[in-house]
Amino acid sequence: MKLLEQKEVAGKLFWIQRQYLKTRGKWEVLPLGEKVLGYVNLDLSVQPWLQNWPTIVADQKGPISILREWGYELEHRGNSIFEAHNNYVVKKRELTDVVAIEKPLLIVGALRGSHKALCGLPKKLFYHDRFIVDTEELYSSKVILYLKPEEVTSQIEAAKIEWLRRQQLYFADKFFSASKDFGLTAIMIIGGHEEFKFEDIPQHLFELSRIKIKNTYDGRQNLTDTYKVILVNTVRLEGKTAVNLKIPEVYKPAVIGKSGIRIKASSKKLNCKIYLI
């Protein structure tokens, strides 16, 4: 047996077994459990492999579909009826990643007197200290290693950005299809259980007004209320000092606001005088 320094093992993958040394009679190792594939932290605690691996909330179906498209494996965790409370562990194998980890480590303590010498440990160690010991025993097991956690985390964020980009393009297409004036204005239903969320609105679509149509807010499911949102395409306003917008009569009060305060504010932000027809 050989005592290992923390810096030799911290953050590296080993087969680890929590054990102690019997101090009465002959020296022997008494196991407390099965060997666990994991890391040894600087405080000598054991972090099981994949226990704290990067995850994504299970209700983020869009980014999850992107990650699957990119070849990631997703392992569902949690048993809540609300997917917002569950998650997926995101993993991806490297191409040349099958290795054999042969030597397990022992996390041991309670070692007295001559027992230190028996396993080659220095006498300066105290009785209550915990040690990391290389048992120098063979333990062959094929293990598939995955990409580093920080690489997976960055790809999860990249998947969210890519999904948002695709959603905004899709939203723009839907906006044009719903428009009655060739893509200048349209009324879209957003939030709640609907197809789009507010972050899906492209930046070039300016919100003239929003009207709540359903009280669907539910924090457990990450749901907002549902709104009809009146949008105008700012790209079509470039170079114009005034514009006529075809807004249905029923929505005009919401666009105009009390004493015209909302439409004046919109005109100022757009740098274009707005008239409703």
Side-chain angles (χ1 to χ4, degrees):
M1 289 191 175
K2 182 177 68 173
L3 179 68
L4 297 175
E5 297 288 338
Q6 290 183 6
K7 62 184 179 182
E8 294 181 62
V9 297
K12 296 180 182 178
L13 193 64
F14 292 95
W15 287 101
I16 304 165
Q17 192 166 13
R18 290 180 177 274
Q19 298 176 321
Y20 69 95
L21 303 180
K22 187 176 181 181
T23 58
R24 297 180 183 276
K26 67 176 183 177
W27 178 89
E28 63 180 315
V29 176
L30 300 180
L32 294 181
E34 296 297 322
K35 293 180 178 67
V36 176
L37 183 65
Y39 297 103
V40 177
N41 296 323
L42 287 175
D43 61 356
L44 295 190
S45 63
V46 175
Q47 175 183 314
W49 174 241
L50 292 179
Q51 179 182 14
N52 296 320
W53 200 255
T55 62
I56 185 170
V57 179
D59 71 341
Q60 297 187 36
K61 296 180 180 179
I64 287 172
S65 69
I66 299 293
L67 289 167
R68 286 196 171 112
E69 180 182 311
W70 289 350
Y72 285 85
E73 302 170 33
L74 288 97
E75 176 186 328
H76 191 272
R77 288 186 179 176
N79 54 12
S80 173
I81 60 173
F82 302 112
E83 283 289 61
H85 293 176
N86 301 325
N87 58 53
Y88 282 96
V89 176
V90 181
K91 303 176 289 184
K92 189 173 185 180
R93 292 184 176 94
E94 295 176 333
L95 295 178
T96 57
D97 56 1
V98 179
V99 298
I101 297 179
E102 296 180 338
K103 293 184 178 180
L105 303 180
L106 303 181
I107 306 299
V108 298
L111 193 62
R112 293 180 181 271
S114 61
H115 295 133
K116 297 176 185 176
L118 284 173
C119 55
L121 301 177
K123 293 181 180 180
K124 65 180 181 180
L125 294 174
F126 292 101
Y127 168 74
H128 60 270
D129 286 339
R130 287 179 298 166
F131 317 114
I132 307 172
V133 178
D134 181 349
T135 64
E136 298 182 354
E137 298 173 353
L138 294 181
Y139 183 82
S140 297
S141 179
K142 292 293 183 179
V143 179
I144 296 177
L145 296 180
Y146 293 87
L147 295 177
K148 294 180 180 179
E150 55 270 22
E151 295 178 15
V152 177
T153 298
S154 67
Q155 287 301 294
I156 291 174
E157 294 306 311
K160 293 178 181 178
I161 293 171
E162 173 61 16
W163 175 252
L164 179 59
R165 185 190 71 83
R166 295 186 188 184
Q167 274 295 94
Q168 290 186 341
L169 288 174
Y170 180 49
F171 187 100
D173 288 341
K174 285 284 188 176
F175 172 88
F176 189 85
S177 299
S179 176
K180 305 299 183 182
D181 50 12
F182 304 101
L184 178 59
T185 61
I187 300 170
M188 305 290 290
I189 300 178
I190 299 172
H193 293 280
E194 300 299 324
E195 189 173 18
F196 298 109
K197 299 179 181 179
F198 281 99
E199 57 263 32
D200 297 329
I201 302 176
Q203 291 184 349
H204 68 279
L205 298 180
F206 179 81
E207 180 181 315
L208 294 172
S209 183
R210 68 173 70 175
I211 304 167
K212 185 188 291 188
I213 58 175
K214 290 181 184 177
N215 294 317
T216 48
Y217 176 82
D218 187 341
R220 298 170 299 177
Q221 302 183 69
N222 290 334
L223 292 177
T224 64
D225 292 323
T226 307
Y227 297 85
K228 280 190 176 180
V229 182
I230 305 166
L231 300 166
V232 61
N233 184 356
T234 60
V235 175
R236 297 280 302 277
L237 303 182
E238 291 179 1
K240 294 183 178 180
T241 57
V243 63
N244 295 322
L245 300 183
K246 294 182 178 180
I247 304 295
E249 286 293 331
V250 66
Y251 300 120
K252 284 183 180 180
V255 175
I256 295 171
K258 187 176 181 179
S259 302
I261 188 171
R262 179 178 289 276
I263 196 169
K264 289 176 183 176
S266 296
S267 295
K268 185 176 180 180
K269 288 181 180 179
L270 294 171
N271 197 28
C272 179
K273 187 68 174 178
I274 297 175
Y275 298 99
L276 304 184
I277 59 173

